[in-house]
Amino acid sequence: MNDKIEILEKDRLDFINSLELLDTLPEGEFDTLTKLASKFLKAPVSLFSIVDENRQWFKSRVGFEACETPRDVSFCAHAITQPEIFIVEDADSDPLFSNNPLVTAKTKPVKFYSGVPIIIDGKYPIGTLCIIDHKPRVLSNEEKEILIGLGKQVEKLIELRITNLKVEKQQDELLKQHSRLQEFAGVISHDMKMPLANLIITSDILKKKYAHLLDKEGFKYLDYLKSSSLTLSDYIGNILKYYETEGITGQEKTTFDVYELLEEIIELLQHTEKTNIALPEDNLILHSNKAALEQVFLNLITNALKYNDKEVSEIEIECDEDETYYHFSVTDNGMGIDKKNIALIFDLYENLGNVDNKGNKGHGIGLSMIKKICVKLGGDIKVSSEPGIGTQFKFWIEK
């Protein structure tokens, strides 16, 4: 029997330690409840105590100077063994407490005590919410109900704390997993890039060196090998970009203008005379993460060019601002997006089966990446489209 009691007490103490409450700073939520107990029950002392192995420590206290007392003189150590409420109306006449140093103290002695056990998960009595008076008294039924009700509120706060701790631990684990996945993607992608580059170069060498030995089927297979290698290389590059967005969005803000940003991108794309790109009417001055914003525009403009089936590609870019956000839009006259696919367009690896104007399928990474960037920058992105007419992307980032 004694062994069983020791095991249960060990479980109780382990549970208390898991709460990460002992020896922490005061918290307003608990202080509010002890103040209410003192006020409504007209008690000079009110405590939320946690009964540790050798002490009772007070997470919240009203009218009591010490932050802890030894467990062997603790009233709360007895209260946690009770199913609901423990009352000592006159400590001087109670054989269990009459010689207790807290009762015989010359200043502010404990003459009355009433405590309700704080029981978590229906089985762990961690401490009490209690009131103390310096003179004997009797609690009415209404006062007992008030103390029990306030004790239930303390339990709810502890249960909420447990939920928050679980969420924090899950978030930490997700961040660790994400970091490991990011590292894995980087290593694998880097290691695959070189063999793919060798395949692309080798296919060109074979076509040139052994052209006289190859028939049409041979050229066809080499072209297929090169095309597949380029597709896979592009896919790996997009994976790397997706996981590198953490680094991009973490860069410091700088001051630059929209024209400067867009002209750099347009020069990089080297578009032909069959493309008209209309810049915003006003050259907005931005203070933001230039690299991240450049990545968003580069992806959207590239897509507007790739998924365009018109003789002349028309792209219109607009921007403005309000007190909180910079707002942007990229509108094209391209192929458009089927309405049933609009909801899926920002999902990672969702390519919708579309092919660009060169017959290549997308990988479903780019738009997911730019949504991730927009959200990281305190904004978001949305799309509207009409098949055969064109598409408009609107996005915004926090100033």
Side-chain angles (χ1 to χ4, degrees):
M1 184 68 176
N2 288 338
D3 289 343
K4 185 177 180 181
I5 292 172
E6 288 176 6
I7 291 171
L8 291 174
E9 175 64 3
K10 181 182 181 301
D11 290 344
R12 190 187 73 84
L13 294 173
D14 288 343
F15 181 76
I16 288 173
N17 289 328
S18 73
L19 296 176
E20 300 178 12
L21 262 177
L22 286 170
D23 301 308
T24 57
L25 294 172
E27 296 179 38
E29 294 87 349
F30 295 114
D31 290 343
T32 296
L33 294 174
T34 51
K35 287 174 183 176
L36 288 173
S38 177
K39 179 180 179 180
F40 288 124
L41 300 174
K42 298 180 174 59
V45 177
S46 177
L47 305 166
F48 164 36
S49 72
I50 298 177
V51 180
D52 200 2
E53 183 176 9
N54 298 309
R55 60 173 176 156
Q56 63 171 358
W57 175 78
F58 306 121
K59 173 63 179 173
S60 179
R61 62 189 192 274
V62 174
F64 201 83
E65 292 183 4
C67 62
E68 62 180 59
T69 61
R71 180 170 176 170
D72 57 7
V73 301
S74 165
F75 283 68
C76 295
H78 297 275
I80 63 171
T81 66
Q82 304 303 308
E84 194 164 70
I85 190 167
F86 179 67
I87 301 174
V88 179
E89 294 179 345
D90 185 355
D92 284 328
S93 62
D94 191 307
L96 192 61
F97 297 105
S98 57
N99 294 321
N100 188 302
L102 296 175
V103 177
T104 59
K106 292 183 179 179
T107 59
K108 298 184 178 179
V110 177
K111 299 301 181 181
F112 167 86
Y113 173 92
S114 181
V116 292
I118 303 303
I119 303 173
I120 309 301
D121 285 350
K123 58 182 177 179
Y124 296 111
I126 67 167
T128 72
L129 177 68
C130 68
I131 57 170
I132 292 171
D133 210 330
H134 307 307
K135 60 182 186 297
R137 61 181 284 190
V138 176
L139 281 186
S140 67
N141 288 335
E142 183 181 2
E143 288 173 323
K144 292 176 185 177
E145 289 177 4
I146 290 173
L147 187 58
I148 292 170
L150 290 173
K152 295 298 181 186
Q153 295 306 309
V154 173
E155 291 175 356
K156 290 184 184 298
L157 286 177
I158 301 294
E159 288 164 0
L160 181 61
R161 183 185 190 88
I162 292 170
T163 300
N164 289 338
L165 284 172
K166 287 180 180 177
V167 170
E168 287 175 6
K169 288 177 181 177
Q170 288 172 349
Q171 288 177 336
D172 288 342
E173 183 57 33
L174 285 173
L175 286 172
K176 289 177 184 176
Q177 289 179 4
H178 176 75
S179 179
R180 289 193 291 266
L181 181 60
Q182 188 173 6
E183 184 179 349
F184 174 77
V187 171
I188 294 299
S189 300
H190 181 271
D191 289 348
M192 290 179 70
K193 277 279 190 179
M194 186 57 70
L196 284 171
N198 289 337
L199 281 173
I200 295 166
I201 294 170
T202 302
S203 64
D204 285 338
I205 291 172
L206 288 171
K207 284 174 68 176
K208 186 174 182 180
K209 191 171 182 179
Y210 299 102
H212 62 288
L213 299 175
L214 295 171
D215 57 12
K216 289 183 179 180
E217 282 292 306
F219 282 108
K220 179 181 175 182
Y221 287 133
L222 286 176
D223 287 340
Y224 179 74
L225 176 64
K226 181 177 180 179
S227 174
S228 298
S229 299
L230 286 169
T231 299
L232 186 54
S233 180
D234 186 43
Y235 186 69
I236 291 169
N238 279 319
I239 292 175
L240 278 173
K241 284 181 182 178
Y242 182 83
Y243 285 106
E244 285 169 357
T245 56
E246 297 291 337
I248 294 173
T249 55
Q251 292 184 18
E252 291 185 3
K253 294 181 178 181
T254 57
T255 301
F256 56 96
D257 62 71
V258 171
Y259 285 0
E260 171 193 347
L261 175 73
L262 294 175
E263 284 168 359
E264 288 176 2
I265 294 171
I266 292 168
E267 184 178 350
L268 181 67
L269 292 173
Q270 297 179 340
H271 68 91
T272 67
E273 67 278 358
K274 291 187 176 181
T275 303
N276 291 328
I277 300 179
L279 297 182
E281 187 175 340
D282 297 320
N283 188 14
L284 200 64
I285 304 299
L286 309 176
H287 184 72
S288 185
N289 184 328
K290 184 179 180 181
L293 193 56
E294 186 176 57
Q295 188 65 57
V296 176
F297 270 117
L298 181 60
N299 188 283
L300 292 178
I301 296 172
T302 301
N303 279 354
L305 295 173
K306 284 170 61 178
Y307 294 95
N308 199 300
D309 53 355
K310 309 300 188 299
E311 188 174 339
V312 176
S313 299
E314 301 282 352
I315 301 173
E316 183 180 0
I317 302 169
E318 296 179 343
C319 66
D320 59 33
E321 63 180 325
D322 56 31
E323 292 182 358
T324 309
Y325 298 101
Y326 296 119
H327 296 268
F328 308 94
S329 70
V330 177
T331 307
D332 65 55
N333 66 335
M335 302 174 185
I337 305 164
D338 196 302
K339 284 182 171 57
K340 68 180 181 181
N341 292 327
I342 290 289
L344 306 173
I345 197 166
F346 296 111
D347 291 351
L348 185 59
Y349 303 127
E350 186 65 68
N351 62 28
L352 311 180
N354 293 343
V355 294
D356 62 23
N357 47 27
K358 292 184 180 179
N360 298 316
K361 273 191 177 183
H363 305 301
I365 297 175
L367 289 176
S368 176
M369 177 182 67
I370 65 171
K371 181 176 177 66
K372 182 179 178 183
I373 291 174
C374 291
V375 171
K376 283 278 187 181
L377 296 181
D380 208 342
I381 185 169
K382 64 180 182 180
V383 60
S384 58
S385 185
E386 192 69 36
I389 296 176
T391 302
Q392 182 182 66
F393 286 92
K394 289 185 176 180
F395 65 98
W396 57 97
I397 60 173
E398 203 167 35
K399 295 176 72 171

